[in-house]
Amino acid sequence: MQNIDGISIVIPLHNKEKYILDTLKSIKDQSFRMFEVIVVDDGSTDDGPELVEAFDLPHLTLLRQGNEGVSRARNNGVSAAKFDLVAFLDADDLWLPDHLKHLWSQYEAFPDGVIYSNSFAEVEGSIVVDGLAEGLKTEVRLVRKFFQEYVNSSHVVFTSATMVRKSCFKRIGGFHDHYNRGEDVAAWVLLSQQGEVVASNYVGALYRRGTKGLTSSLVSEPDIAMTTLLDISTAVTDPDEALCAVELAYKIALAHCLDAILAGSVAATRKHLEFTRRTQFFKFRRALVAILSILPAPMARKALQGLFYVKNRLRVIFS
């Protein structure tokens, strides 16, 4: 019997003592109160778990596992959830006070959905650098062309702004826990084929830049998101959606190209460029990456860092 009397919140935790209290406080400040919180410590070596245990928040549970990765932590949290509606939040991201209220309103409007997602904004320090649109009327809608929307925007579904049905999430096998890149996108892709995807333009989550602590951004082979998209594209009956699924895989590969250039890996850059050779949507982007790839590594890195700096500064100035 599915329990839909509230929302289970799952937070993976690994060495985030600097941020976890602010994250938990953003949950405590929620206007929607029918929730439980499950923090899964992924083998932290700092005092983050102790801070969680001491935090005054009703219905808060701390689970512990070895350092098995964020996907295994999220999967274990979902398994422990008592509600069928499960919202995800990273241990260094934040929610605005009405985030859960708006996710619940999406569920009430579309009770058969499998994914519910608010919008999000990116913050750097205390500055919003992208995504916070003020004064817009809040709209809740079905995403009828999932791949078309995903390929044309940075995130139709963003992990810290997303709620899923536990029953459907378990049906797809949860997050692939043998991968450390692309496993979230792969899950959204698989879930999108299980039922309705619901989205809102309400900004409910804040993504903190520069706090994720990845040891390396280099992906030298197609990740699980790319392979899942290619597999799904062969089963999608709408030809436009099938094309967009493939192009989304190419878009991800080109992002990996940039990481490979920054890491100085010629082999990985060439592999991802070859993977994207048939792109129809991103020919200009691919040409730019190809030019960067033939520059000497220090020059290419400097050019890329300059492009990122200008892009981010413009976001700050005009946000």
Side-chain angles (χ1 to χ4, degrees):
M1 185 81 177
Q2 297 173 3
N3 187 341
I4 53 173
D5 294 331
I7 298 173
S8 295
I9 302 163
V10 172
I11 303 174
L13 174 68
H14 180 73
N15 291 348
K16 298 293 183 182
E17 66 175 356
K18 183 178 178 181
Y19 309 104
I20 186 61
L21 290 182
D22 286 341
T23 299
L24 291 175
K25 185 177 184 303
S26 77
I27 296 174
K28 190 173 184 177
D29 291 342
Q30 289 297 298
S31 57
F32 181 91
R33 305 304 301 172
M34 296 183 296
F35 62 75
E36 65 166 347
V37 183
I38 303 167
V39 178
V40 184
D41 178 51
D42 182 41
S44 292
T45 57
D46 64 7
D47 292 331
E50 287 68 33
L51 294 175
V52 172
E53 287 184 316
F55 192 79
D56 180 22
L57 182 63
H59 312 296
L60 170 62
T61 301
L62 175 68
L63 304 179
R64 295 178 185 265
Q65 66 179 40
N67 187 204
E68 302 171 59
V70 63
S71 292
R72 181 68 61 85
R74 289 186 181 128
N75 289 342
N76 287 339
V78 173
S79 294
K82 71 178 182 181
F83 298 122
D84 193 48
L85 296 172
V86 179
F88 297 105
L89 177 60
D90 283 354
D92 48 4
D93 291 336
L94 303 167
W95 282 345
L96 297 179
D98 288 336
H99 175 68
L100 288 181
K101 174 184 174 182
H102 281 273
L103 286 180
W104 187 260
S105 70
Q106 290 182 41
Y107 161 69
E108 290 183 318
F110 299 97
D112 296 327
V114 297
I115 301 177
Y116 302 93
S117 186
N118 283 326
S119 296
F120 72 100
E122 296 183 32
V123 296
E124 194 165 314
S126 60
I127 300 173
V128 176
V129 295
D130 189 35
L132 190 56
E134 297 180 352
L136 290 179
K137 180 181 178 181
T138 299
E139 296 180 350
V140 176
R141 62 188 178 84
L142 287 178
V143 179
R144 300 189 183 279
K145 297 287 187 178
F146 180 79
F147 296 114
Q148 288 186 42
E149 288 204 29
Y150 214 138
V151 81
N152 288 313
S153 70
S154 54
H155 292 284
V156 173
V157 183
F158 171 64
T159 305
S160 285
T162 295
M163 180 173 74
V164 302
R165 300 299 289 256
K166 175 180 177 177
S167 49
C168 296
F169 182 81
K170 301 291 281 186
R171 193 180 305 146
I172 67 164
F175 294 108
H176 291 270
D177 55 18
H178 297 300
Y179 297 84
N180 61 7
R181 289 291 289 273
E183 71 280 1
D184 49 351
V185 175
W188 314 144
V189 168
L190 292 172
L191 277 171
S192 74
Q193 304 305 296
Q194 296 287 315
E196 296 175 341
V197 178
V198 186
S200 171
N201 63 343
Y202 171 77
V203 175
L206 299 179
Y207 168 76
R208 280 174 160 172
R209 278 190 185 171
T211 64
K212 303 307 173 185
L214 291 174
T215 56
S216 174
S217 295
L218 178 62
V219 177
S220 58
E221 300 288 341
D223 67 21
I224 188 61
M226 294 158 63
T227 57
T228 300
L229 283 162
L230 293 184
D231 289 343
I232 287 289
S233 70
T234 63
V236 174
T237 56
D238 182 330
D240 291 333
E241 278 285 271
L243 173 61
C244 287
V246 174
E247 289 291 340
L248 181 54
Y250 294 158
K251 183 179 182 180
I252 294 169
L254 287 169
H256 291 331
C257 275
L258 299 183
D259 292 334
I261 290 171
L262 287 172
S265 175
V266 175
T269 304
R270 287 176 177 171
K271 183 169 290 187
H272 290 307
L273 276 174
E274 174 62 19
F275 179 86
T276 61
R277 69 188 184 282
R278 295 181 180 176
T279 182
Q280 299 178 38
F281 294 1
F282 303 108
K283 291 180 179 179
F284 175 79
R285 188 178 303 191
R286 185 177 186 275
L288 178 60
V289 170
I291 292 171
L292 289 169
S293 71
I294 62 176
L295 295 175
M299 186 181 299
R301 284 196 293 270
K302 187 173 182 180
L304 258 182
Q305 289 164 352
L307 287 172
F308 290 152
Y309 176 79
V310 170
K311 182 179 179 181
N312 291 337
R313 290 306 301 164
L314 288 174
R315 283 177 169 178
V316 171
I317 292 169
F318 293 108
S319 61

